[in-house]
Amino acid sequence: MALRDYKAEAAEIEQKQAAEYLAEVLAVLPWGFRKFIPKEYWSTYHKAGFYAANSFLTSLKDQAKKISYRLALDDDQLINEAEAAARMCERFLINAGGNYDAAWYMAEAYALNKKVDLPDTEKLGVYPAMMRLCDGRWWRRALRKVHARGLESLAIKANAVNLMRSTYASTDTVKRRGEQKARNARILENIKAVNEVGDEYSLAELAGLNVSNPAIRRAELMTRIKGFEVMADQAGHVGEFYTLTAPSKYHSALSRSGDRNPKFQGYTPRETQAYLSKQWAKARAELQRAGIKPYGFRVVEPHHDGTPHWHMLFFMPFGQVLQCREILRRYALQVDGNEPGASKQRFKAVAIDKSRGTAAGYIAKYIAKAIDGFALDADLYGNTANDAARNIEAWASTWNIRQFQQIGGASVTVWRELRRLKPEDTSANEFLERVRAAADRGDWAEYCNLNNAGQVGLMLSDELEIGRYGDVKAKRVIGIQTALGNLLGGGDEVITRIHTWTIGQPNQQGEAAQLEQGEAAAPWTRVNNCTKSNEELEKLASLQRQARGEFSLLVESGDYLESQFWEFYEEWSFEHGY
């Protein structure tokens, strides 16, 4: 009589249980995940055993539960969910007998359950906050963001974002972002802007003429970087190129094989970006105390698994280089600095050798890679330049990561306003004309030298405009002004926004096309030099709270003064493509 093979029987039972649990988890995940999760699960099962494989599945299941509505919703269904959420909040208001404080108490709990970012009642007031929660368009934006980030977090945990599967962002996120951009483009094509003299353009045409156009955006960034290099040459300063990377626990996949990183602790790219920003704020504050004021640019790009890292091109006096390196390295290694490879990978410094090329050349490829892939053939992982740029744009949009930040130098917002003007507009003020001429010819170095202490600033409208939700809108930029004024002779204020534009759908066909996509038709509205739809303008206003979080870190690190928020916000909006 043959002996029973209990070991084989146990293994068979274990595999059966593993298969059942795999089927259970797959049932609650989107279809797009089901094609690679089984392979990932069984690979983990055979390499690390039953417990490790099931822990992997459990983490995915827990992540899925964090999103309170179905993961497989398409955009039309999300729009329906948004309208239902708005009607629910309206019922809260009705049930509260019009008492906004009581209604907010119920609506706040409801919105928190949906995982959306709530309006700030301290800054806005309860009434405007409640009005947002009663608006389907507000919910539409909020749910799209939560849904997109929830799915991408799940994809990262499932190891769907790496050099072997989909680089920088998951396939589903790239596809969804492409659909969103196409939808927005159709909307902009159907909305016209007409000014008081009868000029008429579609918003798509106007967007193509400003920094919303990737080619114009890239050209402006390179102009500013080259200008900083000219300034450094004039001052006898040297260039340094730094790379800053997060600890291993922030990385979801290994850099060579694409396998899941066993040290990964579930951080999202947005959380990693917050960590890097915090370390930079601390380093920046110490640099300020040491009298070191580097100027240049910071570029954020993703590793293959979507984990952000920073490249910084800075200029400074040669005598400050060693201390600057030491400070940055110390904060780069402050967290988990003893882990294997940290000393080599977490902070890298390269002195710019002008005999081997310009400083701008060191960073040009990172600028192009992040915007449109201009003049590049492929990235490090074999993706074409266009595909890499597409995936990186989807990554930055999903996680709301600011890709480019100017460090030091004069205001780029003032620079853009000056470039609207003609010589006759500033001929009455000799100094202002010199600044305008420098901006007009694209001489960033001369412009910064002339406006290094904010001698020319923005002029904001004194009009108080009440927004859709009952709160006061951000003041509009209407021109520029100089603090020097008549001391140099001539006027000290110049209006740059001379036209009043009316925007809206020109005909029923355009309105129908917009409504077909589930978007609310924009009414004809009078605005000053507006090149965006009403819905987009309101979206910008709702993003102010997010911008303030980053702004507070920059104030702490000395990059900005508290009074410069609106200037920062316009640049922040530009960097995010809004």
Side-chain angles (χ1 to χ4, degrees):
M1 180 178 176
L3 294 175
R4 292 177 63 181
D5 190 345
Y6 290 103
K7 189 174 182 179
E9 287 183 17
E12 184 179 345
I13 293 171
E14 185 181 89
Q15 287 202 8
K16 182 180 178 181
Q17 291 175 337
E20 289 173 350
Y21 189 49
L22 174 61
E24 176 188 334
V25 174
L26 287 177
V28 302
L29 298 180
W31 280 102
F33 289 77
R34 302 182 188 184
K35 56 190 174 185
F36 57 83
I37 286 180
K39 181 178 179 181
E40 189 75 25
Y41 175 77
W42 290 116
S43 175
T44 304
Y45 178 86
H46 292 301
K47 289 180 180 178
F50 181 68
Y51 178 78
N54 280 7
S55 295
F56 163 65
L57 284 183
T58 300
S59 69
L60 296 183
K61 188 177 180 181
D62 292 343
Q63 181 69 32
K65 287 181 179 178
K66 290 182 180 180
I67 304 177
S68 59
Y69 43 87
R70 299 182 305 281
L71 285 165
L73 293 179
D74 60 26
D75 198 67
D76 288 338
Q77 291 170 318
L78 272 176
I79 290 171
N80 292 334
E81 292 269 349
E83 292 301 321
R87 301 295 77 79
M88 176 64 75
C89 291
E90 283 182 349
R91 286 197 289 273
F92 291 147
L93 187 56
I94 293 171
N95 293 339
N99 184 318
Y100 287 93
D101 289 315
W104 175 256
Y105 178 78
M106 294 182 283
E108 180 183 33
Y110 176 77
L112 286 172
N113 187 55
K114 292 286 189 182
K115 311 300 183 184
V116 300
D117 293 332
L118 285 166
D120 189 336
T121 54
E122 290 187 7
K123 289 186 172 69
L124 297 172
V126 173
Y127 173 79
M130 189 66 202
M131 288 300 94
R132 282 164 167 78
L133 266 61
C134 291
D135 185 1
R137 282 164 292 190
W138 183 90
W139 275 102
R140 191 182 308 171
R141 294 188 294 270
L143 292 184
R144 279 173 175 161
K145 180 173 71 173
V146 172
H147 192 247
R149 291 182 182 174
L151 285 174
E152 191 64 1
S153 295
L154 193 60
I156 290 171
K157 280 199 171 184
N159 204 29
V161 182
N162 61 61
L163 74 169
M164 303 302 292
R165 289 198 169 121
S166 181
T167 315
Y168 313 125
S170 69
T171 303
D172 288 345
T173 286
V174 173
K175 179 176 179 291
R176 183 174 56 254
R177 177 58 178 164
E179 292 170 348
Q180 180 186 21
K181 292 176 70 175
R183 182 171 63 247
N184 291 344
R186 290 194 296 271
I187 293 172
L188 294 182
E189 286 287 352
N190 282 316
I191 299 177
K192 299 292 182 180
V194 184
N195 66 19
E196 75 282 0
V197 296
D199 296 327
E200 179 176 314
Y201 304 92
S202 72
L203 295 192
E205 290 174 311
L206 292 174
L209 299 175
N210 60 31
V211 290
S212 297
N213 182 322
I216 294 176
R217 186 184 185 196
R218 172 174 40 77
E220 186 198 77
L221 285 167
M222 291 308 302
T223 295
R224 290 155 63 190
I225 291 169
K226 180 62 179 176
F228 277 133
E229 185 172 14
V230 171
M231 290 172 61
D233 290 342
Q234 292 171 346
H237 293 171
V238 297
E240 289 274 286
F241 188 76
Y242 303 131
T243 300
L244 184 65
T245 303
S248 179
K249 64 186 179 184
Y250 288 92
H251 299 256
S252 63
L254 301 178
S255 59
R256 294 183 180 179
S257 64
D259 291 342
R260 284 189 304 115
N261 176 18
K263 296 182 180 179
F264 181 53
Q265 294 185 14
Y267 292 101
T268 67
R270 187 166 174 79
E271 290 168 332
T272 307
Q273 176 71 356
Y275 159 78
L276 292 172
S277 296
K278 182 179 179 180
Q279 296 306 105
W280 162 244
K282 291 187 286 188
R284 182 73 165 134
E286 184 165 339
L287 289 171
Q288 291 277 8
R289 291 192 294 271
I292 301 174
K293 298 181 179 180
Y295 54 96
F297 262 87
R298 181 211 71 186
V299 178
V300 182
E301 69 165 353
H303 287 292
H304 69 106
D305 61 355
T307 306
H309 63 287
W310 290 12
H311 299 294
M312 297 177 283
L313 175 61
F314 287 165
F315 300 95
M316 68 196 78
F318 177 75
Q320 296 179 347
V321 167
L322 292 180
Q323 188 176 6
C324 182
R325 286 189 181 190
E326 189 278 327
I327 290 172
L328 289 174
R329 175 178 290 277
R330 177 153 37 86
Y331 284 104
L333 297 173
Q334 188 179 44
V335 177
D336 297 343
N338 294 324
E339 65 181 358
S343 61
K344 292 183 178 180
Q345 300 299 327
R346 297 268 291 279
F347 178 77
K348 297 179 181 179
V350 177
I352 302 299
D353 183 353
K354 300 210 65 149
S355 67
R356 302 179 62 181
T358 66
Y362 276 77
I363 205 169
K365 65 179 181 180
Y366 300 107
I367 299 289
K369 179 182 174 183
I371 295 178
D372 58 3
F374 176 77
L376 300 177
D377 294 325
D379 66 3
L380 294 174
Y381 309 108
N383 303 299
T384 67
N386 286 338
D387 286 348
R390 178 201 62 199
N391 286 26
I392 290 173
E393 193 277 336
W395 167 83
S397 174
T398 298
W399 296 111
N400 200 20
I401 287 177
R402 185 182 184 189
Q403 294 174 275
F404 312 107
Q405 181 189 343
Q406 175 182 314
I407 306 297
S411 166
V412 69
T413 309
V414 173
W415 154 278
R416 294 188 187 122
E417 291 302 309
L418 288 166
R419 287 169 64 84
R420 292 173 174 269
L421 300 174
K422 298 178 181 178
E424 52 266 31
D425 297 324
T426 52
S427 58
N429 188 314
E430 179 184 352
F431 174 75
L432 198 52
E433 168 55 20
R434 289 174 60 198
V435 184
R436 184 212 63 80
D440 184 61
R441 64 176 179 267
D443 190 341
W444 178 259
E446 179 65 8
Y447 163 73
C448 285
N449 288 332
L450 291 170
N451 199 27
N452 61 347
Q455 294 92 331
V456 181
L458 298 174
M459 183 165 59
L460 304 178
S461 170
D462 291 329
E463 299 175 8
L464 293 180
E465 297 184 43
I466 303 301
R468 178 191 302 273
Y469 304 115
D471 51 331
V472 178
K473 286 186 176 181
K475 290 185 176 182
R476 292 181 290 105
V477 175
I478 60 173
I480 52 95
Q481 57 188 356
T482 171
L484 301 176
N486 289 321
L487 294 176
L488 295 179
D492 62 349
E493 295 181 349
V494 181
I495 300 295
T496 56
R497 312 290 178 108
I498 60 175
H499 291 299
T500 298
W501 294 85
T502 302
I503 63 173
Q505 271 98 12
N507 53 51
Q508 293 298 319
Q509 181 180 3
E511 185 169 335
Q514 189 183 37
L515 291 173
E516 183 180 352
Q517 299 161 42
E519 301 291 342
W524 289 94
T525 306
R526 297 185 67 78
V527 295
N528 228 328
N529 270 57
C530 179
T531 59
K532 299 183 185 295
S533 68
N534 282 348
E535 182 168 344
E536 285 187 305
L537 288 173
E538 287 156 10
K539 179 179 180 180
L540 293 181
S542 72
L543 289 168
Q544 288 171 15
R545 294 186 306 280
Q546 298 175 31
R548 282 191 181 277
E550 183 175 332
F551 180 70
S552 63
L553 288 174
L554 296 175
V555 170
E556 180 184 340
S557 65
D559 290 331
Y560 283 90
L561 300 175
E562 187 64 44
S563 60
Q564 294 178 295
F565 174 73
W566 295 117
E567 179 179 322
F568 162 81
Y569 180 67
E570 182 156 334
E571 174 68 1
W572 184 89
S573 300
F574 154 63
E575 298 294 4
H576 284 79
Y578 299 117

